[in-house]
Amino acid sequence: MSRRTSILESPLARQAPLSGLLALSAVLTLAVPSLQITDDDLFVASLVCTGVATIVAAVALAFPHAVGLVPALLLLDFVAIALFRTSTGAGTSVFTSLAVLPVVWCGSLRGRLTILWAVLGVSLVILAPYFLTPTTTPGGSELVRLGITVTVFGTVAAVVHELSRRARRNVRAAQLGEERVRAEIDRAAVVQRSLLPTSTAHLGADVAVAGACLPAKSVGGDFFDWYETNTGVAVSLGDVMGKGVGAGLIAAAVRATVRSARAVDDPSEALLRAADGLAAERSTTDVTFTTLFHARLSTDGTFRWADAGHGLSLVLRSDGSVERLRSSDLPLGMGLRDEWATTEGFLGLGDLLISFSDGVLDLYGGREDTVDAVADLARSCDSEPTALVAALSARAEEIEHDDDVTVIAIRRTPVTTDTSAMAAPPGHQERA
C-alpha cells in the first residue's frame, strides 16, 4: 500500500496530466482557426517551460528524496500557464482554467502556507498579460472578474488542503491500527510457539520424538504436542478449520483440554473433553470444527489411539511395511455425535508412528498417495523422527502452500545419543 501511495504522489504522476493538457491545448490552438496565437515567442516559451517541468518531475522520480524540487515544479507550472494564457489571447484565452491543476497540487501539500502559494500562483497567471504586454490595460469590470477568479481558485486550494489533511490523518490512523493489530498477531504467534513442546528429556530414553508446525500465516490453526503420562508418552496432532488468530486460540484450547486428560488412559476420553470445551464456546452462527489425532504409547510398546476426522496417521514398521491408522469418526465441534472409538495396537522397536496435517498434502500436489510418499521419505531418513521432520520442513520451505504444515513422529527405540538432539532443531520446531 505504501509503495502504491508513493507512486501516486510522485511529482511525475502529478506533473503528467498538466503537461499533457498543455500539449493538447497547444495542438488545438494550432489546429482550430478560432483559437489564435497572439505572441509566437511567448507561445514557444510556455511549451519550453512545460518541457523543463516534465524533465524536472522525471528527475524527482529518479531521486525520491529530492522533495525540494516540488516548489520549483509548481513555479514552472504557473509560469508555463501564464505564458500560454498570454500568448493565446490574454483576457480572452480559454485556457485560464488550466491553473486549477497546480492549484490542486499546491493545496494538497502539507502546511497552510501552501494555500497562499496557490493564490500567488493564480495571481501570476491572471496578471501576467498586463506585465508581458504593457499595451493591455484592464478595465474596472475586468479587475472585478480577475479578483473573483483569484478568490475562487484560492477557495479551491483551501478546500483541497483541508481534504488532504483529513485524508492524511485517516491514513495515519489506519496505519497505526494496522501496526497495533500486527503487533498483537506477532505476540499471539510468540505465545502459540511457546506452547509447542521442544524438549524430550522428560520422556525417557526409550522413544525418539520430533515435530514441526509451519503456519501459513503468523498464527495457525495446527498444533502438535507430546508429554509424559503415567504409563508412557502421549502424542497429539490437531488441525482447526481456518487460519489466523481465531483458529490459533481454538487450537490452544483444544491442546489444553487434551492435556487435562493426562491421567486418563483412554485417548477417546481426551477427545471427549476437548469436544465439550468446543461445545461450550460454539455459537449457532460460527461453527468451527477440529480434526485431532491422539495416541498413548506405553513403555511395553502398547499404544492406543483415537482419531477425530483426521485420517492422516500411519505406522512405518521396522520391516518397511506401512500400516495406515484409519477411522470413520467425525471431527470435534460438529455437534452430531460426541463419541470416538479407541483402537489398540503395538509399536515394536524401530517402528515409527507418524501423523501430519492436510497441509502436507499441498507439498505433494494434493496426491491421494501422500501417505505413501511420506512413508517413502521416512524410509529415506532411516525412520529417524528428527530427520523426517527436517526433510518435510525443508520441502515446505521450497514448495508454495496455502495451508499450515504440521507433522509429529515418534519412534520406539533405545536411544544412546543426547536426549536434547531428539527434538527437531529450533528452525524446524516452528516458524513465525
Side-chain angles (χ1 to χ4, degrees):
M1 182 183 70
S2 59
R3 182 176 181 274
R4 180 180 179 182
T5 301
S6 62
I7 291 176
L8 293 177
E9 293 182 351
S10 70
L12 184 58
R14 295 185 176 221
Q15 178 64 37
L18 176 57
S19 299
L21 285 175
L22 275 169
L24 178 60
S25 300
V27 171
L28 290 175
T29 302
L30 295 171
V32 179
S34 59
L35 300 177
Q36 298 180 353
I37 299 176
T38 58
D39 191 313
D40 293 338
D41 293 337
L42 294 179
F43 183 80
V44 173
S46 68
L47 298 181
V48 172
C49 194
T50 301
V52 171
T54 305
I55 294 173
V56 171
V59 171
L61 181 64
F63 300 95
H65 297 292
V67 181
L69 292 176
V70 172
L73 274 173
L74 289 169
L75 178 60
L76 286 172
D77 288 337
F78 282 121
V79 170
I81 296 173
L83 294 173
F84 195 82
R85 177 176 183 267
T86 303
S87 66
T88 55
T92 61
S93 176
V94 298
F95 301 111
T96 305
S97 59
L98 288 173
V100 73
L101 293 178
V103 165
V104 170
W105 185 357
C106 195
S108 66
L109 300 177
R110 297 177 186 273
R112 294 190 179 276
L113 281 179
T114 57
I115 301 175
L116 176 61
W117 306 140
V119 171
L120 293 176
V122 173
S123 300
L124 173 65
V125 172
I126 297 299
L127 299 177
Y130 308 112
F131 292 101
L132 298 175
T133 56
T135 56
T136 305
T137 304
S141 60
E142 179 71 7
L143 289 176
V144 172
R145 186 173 67 85
L146 296 180
I148 292 175
T149 302
V150 172
T151 302
V152 169
F153 277 88
T155 302
V156 169
V159 171
V160 170
H161 181 79
E162 178 61 20
L163 293 177
S164 298
R165 186 186 66 82
R166 293 185 181 185
R168 283 192 292 267
R169 184 182 61 189
N170 292 338
V171 168
R172 181 54 183 162
Q175 290 175 340
L176 291 175
E178 183 178 350
E179 291 173 2
R180 285 193 293 268
V181 171
R182 190 177 300 277
E184 291 294 335
I185 292 176
D186 290 342
R187 284 193 287 269
V190 171
V191 172
Q192 186 180 49
R193 290 194 299 271
S194 70
L195 296 177
L196 298 175
T198 57
S199 173
T200 61
H202 59 290
L203 300 182
D206 57 342
V207 294
V209 61
C213 182
L214 309 176
K217 297 184 177 181
S218 296
V219 180
D222 285 7
F223 71 92
F224 69 89
D225 196 16
W226 65 67
Y227 53 89
E228 187 179 14
T229 65
N230 295 333
T231 58
V233 179
V235 293
S236 305
L237 189 141
D239 185 353
V240 179
M241 180 186 70
K243 305 179 184 68
V245 176
L249 291 174
I250 294 176
V254 171
R255 172 188 176 274
T257 51
V258 170
R259 276 205 169 207
S260 70
R262 178 192 296 264
V264 179
D265 292 333
D266 190 354
S268 63
E269 176 63 25
L271 269 59
L272 182 59
R273 291 192 185 187
D276 289 342
L278 289 178
E281 300 296 332
R282 185 174 64 237
S283 68
T284 57
T285 58
D286 187 13
V287 178
T288 299
F289 64 85
T290 303
T291 66
L292 177 63
F293 174 80
H294 182 63
R296 301 292 182 90
L297 175 62
S298 300
T299 54
D300 62 358
T302 301
F303 83 99
R304 310 177 75 195
W305 57 273
D307 188 303
H310 192 68
L312 295 174
S313 305
L314 67 140
V315 174
L316 176 62
R317 299 295 180 182
S318 57
D319 61 4
S321 60
V322 176
E323 178 184 340
R324 186 165 181 177
L325 306 183
R326 301 181 181 274
S327 171
S328 59
D329 290 340
L330 297 176
L332 308 178
M334 298 291 288
L336 300 177
R337 187 186 63 186
D338 291 338
E339 57 182 35
W340 292 270
T342 295
T343 305
E344 186 171 312
F346 184 79
L347 206 66
L349 293 177
D351 291 347
L352 179 67
L353 171 62
I354 308 169
S355 185
F356 55 88
S357 68
D358 55 6
V360 176
L361 302 178
D362 295 340
L363 306 184
Y364 291 91
R367 288 162 33 190
E368 295 182 0
D369 61 344
T370 297
V371 170
D372 296 329
V374 172
D376 290 339
L377 183 63
R379 292 190 189 95
S380 69
C381 296
D382 296 327
S383 295
E384 287 295 334
T386 301
L388 170 62
V389 169
L392 278 176
S393 298
R395 188 177 180 91
E397 294 286 349
E398 297 171 356
I399 299 177
E400 185 177 351
H401 55 91
D402 296 327
D403 204 355
D404 303 339
V405 172
T406 305
V407 60
I408 188 171
I410 181 170
R411 185 186 188 197
R412 181 170 173 261
T413 178
V415 179
T416 57
T417 57
D418 188 296
T419 54
S420 62
M422 291 187 289
H428 296 124
Q429 284 294 331
E430 66 273 340
R431 180 184 63 186

